[in-house]
Structure formats: structure tokens, C-alpha cells
């Protein structure tokens, strides 16, 4: 790609049409000049000598005849040490630095380096002169928080390179040369800690891609036991507004057993984004006791920002996640909400006058959504280590309608579906994951036979509840009534979780297996009651006892005592008692 120039011949919202000289490429970045300010844009379509470009800024003031300068580079992310604990916008501008420069109202055309150029990092080499390396292999590392941040051979280099020189251990900035590589033809390449990578291209500098099989422990019982997520898998959280999607993602990011969390606030309401920015630095990391932000990257793009930047925020986030996967890290990427990204695609597609699909979304919506989720996965690196990117995206269907195009396109590619229910949310049954509609293709942390038996109880109990709304308790047999009470007991004591209790907020896999084993005995035990009131009183007592048990540390005397009380109560209602 070579630098080219052009002039605007049409403006339609955030879409401009440019007549250019020279050569341009799809997804190349250009700057539309107005009042001496360059507005970053991206080529989305090329037609002969005309290029359609989406502008990532407010286009007020752009006019026909204005100059456009093409950069010769694709839309890219800066990768290197210093990404963790940062808050970026969709174009990877560090918002703290932007705010310090511009104040409360961000000026358009302001672009700041994503990684500080003046900060020094202590580099320790891993290879020696004469070693052969390929793209993605580590040349050395620098400490970044609690991690060793690998400095890798640039991902875009093809073939085998020989290390001609490498600096000794010491402090260096990200732009200083730390190694010189030579290819088979004798060409030399200087390498620094900083590299750039096109956000719409996946990083594939690994040996092989593996099938996600190992469960990712989120410590949320409803997910780990009933609707598990695999490490390196994909899942979605559709739900109506106010059902708890954002809160569920925040709890997952806090307790999930991953190394790094990347959050893409894609088109979310500004109030929710501000709450995230305020709360995350205050949240303690269960692993280290320090701030959770120390191993988190936030890509912040609110609904009030230009729609084109929503797409950039999603791709920037998944590129950063893929970068840390190349170091053998387990990364969790949370996108909230992919519906607003799809709405941005619909707006751009309409302005391009493309043939619309269902509900005016672009006809290629499914392929775009699939390509995004396919960038997750488990990979084996060239040094034998494994890394993973687990992608969880929320979907905000209007009115909670799961049949709309974005939800359906997402369901075709993800491995787990955590559908949130308005009825459960209104009943304050949190997390509001619907146990009847949700599903997962991944392996649970609990025995599949026990989970299947519990699901049967839930489904049968729901059927009995619907029947009781018509005929009342009087028209229900004792056996059906007991199944209904068992389903309610399972819901109240296991599916629901108290996020404010220090113990119940996060349940380890070991505890889930132990507790669910006891609850399984309750669900499958034959019971005898003189009447329905006695059955109801028994389950009320048992529910409160189990809830108290959930709030006690595992392995303590109190934990054992409460378990003994639960088992004793169960023996009291056995048919032979």
C-alpha cells in the first residue's frame, strides 16, 4: 500500500465517498481534513476510483471538496507492554490521557499513542545470538503487573530468522531496538517491544488450534453446573434491558479463573459505562488482593459516540485478547453489547445502499458475527504452551425477543446460551438465567447424570406450576406437588446466588460438586408427607437451612454441622421414618 490522496465527493452521515489518486486498499485508514483537523476514517468499499469510508468521528463540517489523506496502513492496534489497567476508546486512545488533554468534552481529531513511549521496561532476553526464531516466538520478557510480558517476534514476519544481536538485560523504552533479526536472504529486521497488528485480521502465530474441552470455572453455580463454558469457548447472554446482563458479566470477570480480562463496552449507555469505570478500580482481585484493574483492559465506546467506532472497539478488544493468548495466557473477552455493534453495521449497510436482510440488518450479518466469535479458542504455541481466548457477548434484543436476527445469528456459532428471563429478574431470582431455555454444548463440572436428573425436576416442576395456576393445589396430586417443591428448592438454593455475600458470591468447582451431591440426594429421595402443608413447611425449613449452608466456608465445623442437619431432616421424611 502506498500513500494516496483524494477529495470528498459525497457525505452521508458518517459515510463519505472519496475520489482518490493512487492506490488504496480495503480497511485502509485515511484522514478527512476539516478546519485543519484530520478525522480518522476507514475504507469499507472500493469502486473504481471511488472509495466509501466510514468516519470514526462526528462529521459536522465535512464538505464536498475536502481533502482526504490515506495513511497506507490498515486499521491497527498497538501491542506491547503497558496495555493492562488501561481504559481505551474504540480507536485505542487512552481516555485518561485524552481527558487530561481535552477536559470533559473530547475534541474530535485527537489521537494519542496507546502505549506510552517514554516509560522504561526492564527487558530480560530469552534467546541468544545465533538462535533461530519464527513469528510469535519470545525473544525475552518484561514484568507487567503479576505477569511476565513476552516480547515476541513480530507476527507479520514469514519464514525463519536468525538472531543477529540482542540487547543485554536492562531498562528500555518500547521504541528502542532490542534485537536484530536476519532472514535467509540476509535481510536485517530491527525489533522493538512495540508492534502494530491489523485489528480485523486474527493473530495466527501458533502451532495448532485445539478443541475447547476444559471447563472455565466462573464460580457461578448456574453456569458451571448447568450451562458451562469451556476455556477457549464462546457463549452469549441475551436478555431484555434491566435483566442483569452487565452485572453478570462483571461478576464473571471478577471470579472467573482466567489470567486477563478484556471488556469491550460496545455502544453501551454512558451511565453503565461510567459505573463500570468507577467500580472496577475499587474491586479487589480474589487472586492477588489488589485492584481487579491490574489485569483488565477496558475498551470503552458509549452509545453517544459515533457508530463507526463501535465496530472498531470490538475488533480492537479481540486483537488485544489474541495478543495475550500468544503469551500462553487465558483471556476472557466480554463484549457488551453486540446488538449495538450490529445496529452500527445496519446503519453503515443502509448508507452503502446494500441489499438488506431481515429487519434491515445486512445480509452478511451472520458471517460477520461468526468471524468475531471464531477468533476465540484454545491454541498450542510454538514452544508447547497453550493459551486461550474465551468470548462472551451480551445481546440486547428489543422486548426480549430471542427470535430477532442478532440473537439468532449468535446462537448459530456459540457453544453456550445463557438466556436471561424478565420474569426471573422481576422476581429477584439472580442470576436471572432461565434454566428452562438456556443450554450448553460444553462439559459440566458436575456429573452429567446428576445434572440431567436435576433438569428433569426443573422441567417437570415448571409444568406442575403452570397446571397449578389453572386447577390450584387442590387439583394437584401429592407426588406432583412434591416435585414442584423440589424444583423450587433447587432454584432457591443452587441456581440463585447472593453476589453480596463474601462466601456465596463465588463457589469453587470442588464446592459445587460437594453441594450438588447433597442437593441431588434431596431431589431424588422418596418423601412421605401427611398433607401438602406439611410438605411446604418442610421445604421452607430445608431451603433456609441450605441457604445458610451456602454462606459458610467449606471445611469448617459449622459447614459440617449444617450438612448433617440437612441430611437429618431428609431422613425424617423418608417413607419408612
Amino acid at each position: 500500500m502506498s500513500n494516496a490522496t483524494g477529495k470528498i465527493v459525497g457525505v452521508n452521515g458518517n459515510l463519505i465517498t472519496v475520489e482518490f489518486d493512487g492506490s488504496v486498499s480495503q480497511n485502509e485508514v485515511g484522514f478527512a481534513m476539516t478546519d485543519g483537523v484530520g478525522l480518522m476514517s476507514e475504507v469499507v468499499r472500493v469502486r473504481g476510483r471511488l472509495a466509501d469510508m466510514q468516519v470514526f468521528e462526528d462529521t459536522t463540517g465535512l464538505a464536498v471538496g475536502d481533502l482526504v489523506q490515506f495513511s497506507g496502513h490498515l486499521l491497527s492496534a498497538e501491542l506491547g507492554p503497558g496495555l493492562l489497567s488501561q481504559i481505551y476508546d474504540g480507536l485505542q486512545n487512552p481516555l485518561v490521557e485524552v481527558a487530561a488533554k481535552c477536559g470533559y468534552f473530547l475534541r474530535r481529531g485527537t489521537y494519542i499513542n496507546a502505549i506510552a513511549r517514554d516509560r522504561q521496561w526492564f527487558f530480560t532476553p530469552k534467546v541468544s545470538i545465533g538462535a533461530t526464531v519464527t513469528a510469535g516466538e519470545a525473544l525475552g520478557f518484561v514484568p507487567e503487573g503479576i505477569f511476565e510480558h513476552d516480547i515476541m517476534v513480530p507476527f507479520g514476519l514469514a519464514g525463519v530468522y536468525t538472531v543477529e544481536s540482542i540487547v543485554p538485560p536492562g531498562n528500555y523504552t518500547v521504541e528502542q531496538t532490542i534485537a536484530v533479526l536476519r532472514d535467509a536472504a540476509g535481510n536485517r529486521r530491527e525489533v522493538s517491544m512495540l508492534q502494530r497488528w491489523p485489528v480485523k485480521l486474527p493473530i495466527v502465530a501458533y502451532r495448532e488450534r485445539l478443541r475447547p474441552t476444559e471447563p472455565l470455572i466462573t464460580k457461578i453455580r448456574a453456569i458451571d453446573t448447568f450451562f458451562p463454558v469451556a476455556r477457549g469457548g464462546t457463549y452469549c447472554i441475551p436478555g431484555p434491558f434491566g435483566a442483569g446482563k452487565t452485572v453478570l458479566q462483571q461478576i464473571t470477570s471478577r471470579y472467573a479463573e482466567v489470567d486477563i480480562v478484556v471488556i469491550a463496552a460496545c455502544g453501551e449507555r454512558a451511565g453503565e459505562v461510567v459505573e463500570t469505570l468507577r467500580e472496577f478500580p475499587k474491586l479487589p482481585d480474589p487472586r492477588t488482593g489488589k485492584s481487579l484493574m491490574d489485569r483488565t483492559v477496558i475498551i470503552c465506546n458509549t452509545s453517544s459516540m459515533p457508530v463507526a467506532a463501535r465496530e472498531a472497539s470490538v475488533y480492537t478488544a479481540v486483537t488485544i485478547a489474541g495478543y495475550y493468548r500468544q503469551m500462553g495466557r487465558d483471556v476472557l473477552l466480554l463484549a457488551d453489547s453486540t446488538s449495538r455493534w450490529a445496529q452500527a453495521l445496519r446503519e453503515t449497510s443502509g448508507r452503502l445502499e446494500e441489499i438488506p436482510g431481515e429487519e434491515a440488518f445486512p445480509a452478511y450479518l451472520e458471517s460477520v458475527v461468526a468471524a468475531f466469535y471464531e477468533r476465540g479458542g484454545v491454541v498450542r504455541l510454538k514452544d508447547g504452551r497453550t493459551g486461550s481466548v474465551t468470548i462472551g457477548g451480551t445481546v440486547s434484543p428489543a422486548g426480549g425477543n430471542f427470535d430477532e436476527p442478532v440473537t439468532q445469528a449468535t446462537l448459530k456459532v456459540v457453544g453456550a446460551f445463557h438466556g436471561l428471563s424478565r420474569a426471573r429478574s422481576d422476581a429477584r431470582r439472580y442470576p436471572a438465567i432461565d434454566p428452562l431455555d438456556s443450554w450448553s454444548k460444553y462439559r459440566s463440572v458436575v456429573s452429567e447424570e446428576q445434572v440431567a436428573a436435576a433438569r428433569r425436576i426443573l422441567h417437570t416442576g415448571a409444568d406442575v406450576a403452570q397446571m397449578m395456576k389453572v386447577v390450584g393445589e387442590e387439583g394437584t396430586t401429592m407426588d406432583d406437588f412434591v416435585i414442584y417443591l423440589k424444583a423450587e428448592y433447587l432454584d432457591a438454593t443452587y441456581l440463585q446466588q447472593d453476589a453480596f455475600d463474601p462466601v456465596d458470591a463465588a463457589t469453587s468447582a470442588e464446592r459445587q460438586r460437594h453441594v450438588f451431591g447433597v442437593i441431588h440426594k434431596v431431589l431424588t429421595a422418596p418423601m412421605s408427607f401427611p398433607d401438602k402443608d406439611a410438605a411446604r413447611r418442610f421445604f421452607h425449613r430445608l431451603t433456609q437451612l441450605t441457604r445458610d449452608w451456602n454462606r459458610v466456608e467449606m471445611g469448617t465445623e459449622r459447614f459440617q454441622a449444617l450438612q448433617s442437619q440437612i441430611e437429618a431432616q431428609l431422613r425424617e421424611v423418608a417413607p419408612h421414618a
Side-chain angles (χ1 to χ4, degrees):
M1 291 178 294
S2 59
N3 291 4
T5 59
K7 289 188 179 297
I8 297 176
V9 296
V11 180
N12 183 5
N14 74 313
L15 188 75
I16 60 175
T17 301
V18 180
E19 185 176 6
F20 61 90
D21 297 318
S23 60
V24 301
S25 298
Q26 183 84 356
N27 303 126
E28 184 175 346
V29 171
F31 292 88
M33 309 303 296
T34 176
D35 297 328
V37 177
L39 306 183
M40 186 182 288
S41 314
E42 179 191 18
V43 176
V44 293
R45 185 172 65 183
V46 180
R47 299 172 293 158
R49 306 307 301 173
L50 297 178
D52 295 312
M53 306 180 71
Q54 59 178 358
V55 184
F56 296 117
E57 305 271 10
D58 179 16
T59 56
T60 301
L62 280 181
V64 172
D66 285 347
L67 176 69
V68 175
Q69 180 69 51
F70 292 90
S71 67
H73 301 287
L74 301 182
L75 181 64
S76 302
E78 289 189 350
L79 304 175
L83 293 172
L84 295 184
S85 77
Q86 291 291 339
I87 301 171
Y88 295 112
D89 69 0
L91 302 177
Q92 213 187 2
N93 292 303
L95 288 180
V96 175
E97 283 79 0
V98 173
K101 181 177 181 179
C102 303
Y104 289 109
F105 299 96
L106 308 184
R107 293 194 301 268
R108 62 178 182 167
T110 301
Y111 307 109
I112 298 178
N113 292 327
I115 297 175
R117 301 300 197 258
D118 55 350
R119 181 175 177 181
Q120 291 192 331
W121 301 85
F122 189 86
F123 175 78
T124 303
K126 281 186 174 181
V127 297
S128 56
I129 295 175
T132 56
V133 293
T134 57
E137 292 189 279
L139 298 171
F141 68 90
V142 299
E144 184 183 22
I146 62 173
F147 303 110
E148 288 185 356
H149 184 115
D150 288 342
I151 306 302
M152 294 169 279
V153 177
F155 305 132
L157 297 187
V160 179
Y161 285 75
T162 302
V163 179
E164 189 172 276
S165 67
I166 190 164
V167 297
N171 292 308
Y172 304 91
T173 64
V174 294
E175 290 185 310
Q176 288 182 270
T177 299
I178 54 99
V180 177
L181 308 180
R182 186 183 69 253
D183 64 12
N187 300 313
R188 300 169 74 249
R189 171 68 182 263
E190 294 183 351
V191 178
S192 66
M193 300 186 199
L194 177 68
Q195 61 174 305
R196 299 180 64 85
W197 185 258
V199 296
K200 294 188 177 178
L201 296 179
I203 300 172
V204 293
Y206 47 78
R207 181 183 300 167
E208 62 177 331
R209 191 178 176 96
L210 306 175
R211 186 179 182 86
T213 56
E214 179 189 354
L216 171 65
I217 308 303
T218 66
K219 299 186 179 178
I220 301 172
R221 294 190 293 263
I223 294 177
D224 292 344
T225 300
F226 285 91
F227 315 109
V229 177
R231 190 180 302 276
T234 56
Y235 68 100
C236 67
I237 309 176
F241 297 100
K245 297 186 293 295
T246 302
V247 174
L248 182 58
Q249 280 200 331
Q250 289 186 4
I251 293 174
T252 304
S253 65
R254 182 176 182 181
Y255 294 112
E257 294 183 356
V258 294
D259 297 318
I260 291 165
V261 179
V262 180
I263 297 177
C266 170
E268 270 301 297
R269 294 184 293 273
E272 291 189 13
V273 175
V274 169
E275 182 181 356
T276 299
L277 299 183
R278 286 178 174 171
E279 291 298 322
F280 257 73
K282 300 177 184 177
L283 293 176
D285 185 352
R287 294 177 55 177
T288 65
K290 301 178 180 179
S291 171
L292 187 61
M293 275 299 296
D294 290 348
R295 58 182 182 93
T296 302
V297 183
I298 297 179
I299 310 297
C300 170
N301 185 266
T302 67
S303 56
S304 59
M305 294 180 178
V307 294
R310 298 181 189 177
E311 182 179 31
S313 66
V314 169
Y315 285 112
T316 298
V318 76
T319 300
I320 292 175
Y323 175 63
Y324 279 101
R325 177 175 66 181
Q326 284 294 136
M327 304 177 199
R329 304 295 175 199
D330 293 316
V331 186
L332 175 63
L333 169 60
L334 301 173
D336 186 14
S337 143
T338 56
S339 289
R340 295 186 175 89
W341 167 36
Q343 290 165 7
L345 290 174
R346 177 170 60 184
E347 187 170 327
T348 301
S349 175
R351 290 189 170 130
L352 289 171
E353 298 180 354
E354 296 173 333
I355 297 176
E358 187 179 355
E359 294 188 18
F361 285 103
Y364 49 80
L365 175 66
E366 289 186 7
S367 62
V368 172
V369 172
F372 167 67
Y373 280 100
E374 285 169 1
R375 290 179 68 168
V378 184
V379 300
R380 191 186 309 282
L381 305 178
K382 295 176 181 179
D383 61 3
R385 294 180 298 170
T386 59
S388 69
V389 172
T390 307
I391 300 180
T394 67
V395 186
S396 305
N401 175 25
F402 291 171
D403 293 326
E404 57 89 39
V406 183
T407 305
Q408 289 302 309
T410 305
L411 290 180
K412 292 178 181 179
V413 296
V414 297
F417 164 61
H418 302 159
L420 301 190
S421 163
R422 168 65 69 189
R424 289 183 64 82
S425 175
D426 291 344
R428 299 296 184 263
R429 298 188 175 195
Y430 293 114
I433 299 173
D434 192 322
L436 305 180
D437 293 337
S438 301
W439 50 262
S440 174
K441 300 176 183 177
Y442 301 123
R443 178 168 55 88
S444 172
V445 299
V446 175
S447 162
E448 293 293 343
E449 292 76 14
Q450 292 182 346
V451 173
R455 282 204 182 102
R456 288 193 294 270
I457 293 287
L458 287 171
H459 281 275
T460 306
D463 293 340
V464 174
Q466 292 298 320
M467 182 177 63
M468 287 169 54
K469 291 179 180 178
V470 179
V471 301
E473 288 185 11
E474 298 78 11
T476 308
T477 65
M478 176 61 79
D479 289 343
D480 285 346
F481 188 66
V482 169
I483 290 177
Y484 162 73
L485 291 177
K486 286 181 176 180
E488 289 293 297
Y489 167 76
L490 173 61
D491 191 338
T493 61
Y494 200 82
L495 295 180
Q496 297 176 45
Q497 210 162 335
D498 185 357
F500 294 97
D501 185 85
V503 176
D504 196 32
T507 306
S508 66
E510 180 187 3
R511 178 165 182 151
Q512 288 184 50
R513 284 188 284 266
H514 181 83
V515 170
F516 197 77
V518 175
I519 290 180
H520 177 70
K521 293 178 183 178
V522 175
L523 299 179
T524 57
M527 298 180 180
S528 177
F529 300 100
D531 52 47
K532 292 174 181 173
D533 286 338
R536 187 184 295 105
R537 286 194 300 270
F538 168 78
F539 276 99
H540 280 173
R541 292 195 305 271
L542 190 64
T543 298
Q544 188 57 53
L545 193 60
T546 309
R547 281 177 166 172
D548 293 341
W549 190 39
N550 286 337
R551 296 184 175 96
V552 177
E553 288 281 0
M554 186 177 179
T556 62
E557 292 184 3
R558 170 80 172 151
F559 183 86
Q560 296 297 333
L562 288 172
Q563 179 177 338
S564 298
Q565 291 182 43
I566 293 171
E567 293 169 344
Q569 287 210 10
L570 190 59
R571 289 192 294 270
E572 291 176 3
V573 296
H576 61 273

